[in-house]
Amino acid sequence: MKTKKRSSKNLKIGTRITIAAVVGIVVPVIILIAFSSVFQNVMASYFGYATVTTNSYSTLNQIQWSQTILSISNELVSDDSENDKAQKINEFVTPLEKLGSVIYIEKNGKSFYATSDRDAVISQAEQIVNLNTQQNTNYFGENGMVIVNHASGGKDNYVVIIANKEYTVNDVSSRFEAQTVTQLLFSKTGLIFLIIAGVFIIAIIVISFITSKTISKPLKELSHGAEEIANGNLDYEIDYDSTNEIGVTVKSFNHMTDMLKKSIQQQHSIEESRKEMIAGVAHDLRTPLTSAKGYVEGLLDGIANTPAKQQLYLKTIYTSTLTMERLLDDLLTVSRLELGNIELDFKPININSFLDDCADELLVQLSQLDFDFEYNNNCDSDFVAMLDTDRFQRVIRNIVSNSIKYAKKNERGRIELSAQTYQKSVIITLSDNGIGLEGKNLTKIFESFYRADPARTKTSEGSGIGLSVARQIVELHGGKIWATGKENQGLTILISLPRTEDTNEQ
């Protein structure tokens, strides 16, 4: 399996800040370590403790002697050749000899370097202090200075003896030199600390700048995207692919934009459907109203001058009134269902009895319309469902009315009602041989005010709210409703209702 390459863009913000903090410390330390030898040489030269510069005692003078003795010892035990050692030792001791110091360096009991012979150097040292050449000595006194130092490297042993009778210690040295050292620390050491602090500050600024850029750039893109959306550009998409917090936010933002675009499109679609619905309702109301008005005028003008005509006119007026009443009742039902303030009167009902009553009613209605009707009931005799019979009869009537409305003009209409029970549910099926519907629109015909087929979008064909009412009532019963079929091959609507354990049916 190919793994996705991890990108630095996917680092979380907390991780970025942590890395920046760590790097901000580590990088300057590495820089200081890398250049420590350079700093040491620069500092030794700057502070003036690389070589001895005076025969007068002070704290700085002690540091100078310590640094010089250390440099001599390190060179003696180094891997340099004898000639190189001698040359470098000569460079170290020449400044000391100019200050009146006598020096004797012994290697494995033999002379390696000498200002004068061994006995003369030791004699001068003993005039200053009791000398034991087997021990390291650092003596700084009023009568002179003596240093004895031992160094070993491999098989070689070295002894360094330095004496200077001209060395002096001033009585006020403690007070005077303390002031000198303090000034030195604040003037020169302070500068070194400023350099070190400067390295840290520059490194942190650079790292913080890089880190902030990785955070601020996607935030600017997110801000720009919000401005585009605010200006109505719903097609704008932020191009930032990452799994960190900003990446997740960007993906959520893009998803929100898509959902907003779909919502607006849906609102436009609903608005168009509502406009078509209003036009359809207006037409459906106008048709029976015009019919009733015409027949009332016929009665008033005396056109219906026989009892038979008068009875026909009155029946027609009554039928038109019922049509308007049903349409207004559907509109009221849709409104109440959408607002969620409709209550159903559920009772345990034997499904066989209910379907038999529906079939008898449909047979009379469809016979008058010259429709064929077929009824097939395969339900268990004891199957009980919780129904509001009045509301559920409306579901059946609305489905049948839809089939009647969209029957083929050149073919005798046929409607079939069938039912089959299962262990936990009953499936009620209503099929027709009408104009049918395209498969892609079958899932949409139960939406409010939706009519998918162009043939069904004519306002003269009605408001298109019957199936929406049917779906909502079925769902309030805890059931499901769906459709199957093909264009020009009829439509089949199926309803699934759950069984109830209560057998005390009405």
Side-chain angles (χ1 to χ4, degrees), residues 486-504:
K486 295 181 179 180
E487 190 172 6
N488 295 320
Q489 295 184 22
L491 182 70
T492 299
I493 294 180
L494 301 97
I495 301 170
S496 172
L497 292 174
R499 181 195 290 267
T500 180
E501 299 299 330
D502 189 350
T503 58
N504 298 318

Side-chain angles (χ1 to χ4, degrees), residues 49 129 164 227 256 277 303 319 351 356 407 420 471 483-484 497:
Y49 63 75
V129 68
N164 190 328
E227 292 179 359
M256 178 196 70
M277 181 271 297
I303 296 176
T319 300
I351 200 68
D356 289 344
Q420 176 69 52
R471 175 183 64 82
T484 62
L497 292 174

